[in-house]
Amino acid sequence: FSVLIQGNEAGSEEMWVDETGHVRFHFAFNDRGRGPDLDARVGLNERGIPVVIETSGVDYLKSPVEERFQLQGSTATWKNQGEDGSRELDGDALFIPMNGTPAMGALAARALLQAPDWRLPLLPAGDMYLEKVEDRTFERTSETGTESITATQYAISGLGFSPSYVWLDEAGLYFGSADGWFGVVREGWDAALPEMHAAQQERNAAWLGQLAEDLPERPTVAVAIQGARLFDPHTLSMTPGVTVVVEGNRIAAVGPDGEVSIPSEARVVDAEGKTLLPGLFDMHVHLSPIDGVLHMAAGVTTVRDMANDIDQLLDMRQRFDDGTAIGPRVIMAGFMDGPGPYAGPTKVLVDTEAEIREWIARYDSLGYEQIKIYSEITHANMLFLNFQGDTLDTRTPARFTAVAQYGAELDLESDSVQDFLQLLKDREVIVDPTVSIWEGMFTGRPGEVSPNFEPVADRLPPTVRRGFLAGGLPVPDEMDMRYRESFQRILDMVAEVYEQGITIVPGTDAMAGFALHRELELYERAGIPAAQVLRIATLGSAEVAGRADQLGSIEPGKLADMILVDGDPTARMSDIRNVRLGWRAVRCGQPVQGHRSCAVSEASERLVQVTS
C-alpha cells in the first residue's frame, strides 16, 4: 500500500501471511522527520477475531513501541507503553492496538462483518460497530490494458468522536482509506484516493448535517439573557446583573437588569449565577469536520486554520457558515513549503518566486488572509530554538527534544534573551505559544493520563482516552526532572513575553475545544492575570484577526458570538470549562435540512444558533 500525505508520497505499508498463518505488517512514513516505523504480527481465530497481536518499532514521535495482546481461552491480556491489563470474557471482543496500522484496522472490519449485527465489544472498554455505505468501482489503465476493482466503503463507529471509514475489496481485503490530510491505498491505485475521499466526505456531510439538524436551537424570536455576570475585555471588569438582548444575528442592547427593553415575544434565558463572555478564539487549529461540534461545545466560536486541504477547508467553512454543519467561523491561513524530505504536509510545494507569487494570488482569491511559512515563529519551542545554535536542524524532531533537554538552562534575564524579546516587540511579532502541547510532550509519561487532558479524559470515548496513556516524548535516562523543568521554563518564557508587552494569541494545534481550555489555564499558571487571559482569548484575538469591529466583546451592534459558563473564570480560570450555552451568528437564506435558516425575519442576513 502507498501512504500519501496531502497527495505526496510519504511511506508505505505491507501486509502478508507468513508460513505460520499469521498476518504480518510493516508500516512506516515520514512526516517532517516524524512518523512511525512498526512491525506487527496478528493471529486470528475462525471468526476473524485477533487472538494474538505483537507490535514493535517506534511511534509517530519515535518513542519505542512494544505491544502485546493475547487471548487464551476466555482470558484476554494486553500490555503496551500505557497499559497492563487483563479481562475475563464471556464472548467475542476486539482489542485495538494503541499502535496499529491502517491495514490492521481492516482486520477489525472483517471481524465485525462476521459478528451479530456487525457489532462487538471493545477492550478495555466501549463498543465498535460497522455500517455499509456503498460499493464503488475504480479503474486504472496500464500498458496491459484497463483493470478495475470494486470496493465497499464501510463506516466504523466507536473508536472516536465520529465515524472512520475503510474500503474493502470483493474478497474482503483492505483496499484503502482517505481523509483530507492522510491517505492509504493499494499500491498502483493512487489515482483512486480523490474519489475515495470525496465519497467519505459525502457520507460525513450527511452525518454532520443530521447533527446540525438535531443539536442546535434556531430561535425564531429575539433572545434576552437576564441576570448574567458580564465580562468586558475592554476594561477587564465583571459586572453582575446584566441583560443582553439579541435580535437577528446581532446584539441589540446591553444594560442593567430591569433597565433594558425586552421585546414582548423574546425568549428569555435565566443566566443567574453564570458568566456571559464573548465567544473564544483558537488561533492555531487544523480543522477536521467533527472539530466544529467540539469547538462550539467548548465555547470556541472563531478559529484560525493554519494548514489544511484547500477543498476540504473551503467546504467546511461554507457549511459552518450556512448552518448545514455545526462549527465556528474560520479564518484561513494558506500553507506553502519547499519540496524535500522535510516538507510540511501541504499540496503547495513551491520552488521559485513565480510559483510563490502564483500561490499567494490563488490563496488570496479563495479568501485566505495569511500565508504560513514552515517553520515560522509560532509555538513556544521556536523561541527557545533561537538560542540553540546554527547546527541544529529544526526540520527534524530535534526541534522538540533539544528544547526538552536544554530549555531549562536558558537564562531569560540574559542580554541575549532580552534583546531577542525587544526585537519581537519592535517588529510587532505575535506569539502563538501552544503551551499545552509542550505540557503533554515534556511531562506526559507512559501509563499516566496526559496532564493536558486529565480533567476531561473520563468524559471522552474510551479509545480516545486510551491515547492519553501513551506518554509524550521519549525521556532519556535520568532526564525526567530536566524535561519537567524545561516545561516550566516555557511557562516562564510566556510570562516574560507577556510582561514585555508582546502580543500573545491562544493557539492549540491539538484536540478541538478541550485543548483551548487547558491553554488558558496554563497562561494563568504562568502568571498572566485571569482577566488578561480572557482578553487574550476574546478581544485580543479579534484585534489580531482584524475582527474587533464585529467580534471579541459583547456590545450593541456586534455579532452575537457569546458563551454562558457556570462560575467566574476571572476568579477561577478552570470555570471556562463549564460552558452551558453558546451562540454563534450564522448566515441566513440557505435551506437547512428542508427548512429555511432565517431565525428572526426574512430580511435577516444571519441567525442566532444556540448550542448546549
Side-chain angles (χ1 to χ4, degrees), residues 435-448:
V435 291
S436 64
I437 288 179
W438 313 115
E439 181 182 37
M441 280 194 179
F442 291 9
T443 72
R445 298 294 180 264
E448 302 173 6

Side-chain angles (χ1 to χ4, degrees), residues 29 73 88 96 126 136 187 203 222 292 340 407 422 461 482 495 503 505 527 555 558 588 592 612:
F29 67 84
E88 288 296 318
I96 304 299
R136 287 214 178 191
E187 187 176 34
R203 160 72 183 203
Q422 186 62 49
R482 169 57 64 88
T503 300
V505 292
E555 302 176 61
K558 285 195 172 184
C588 176
V592 179
S612 64

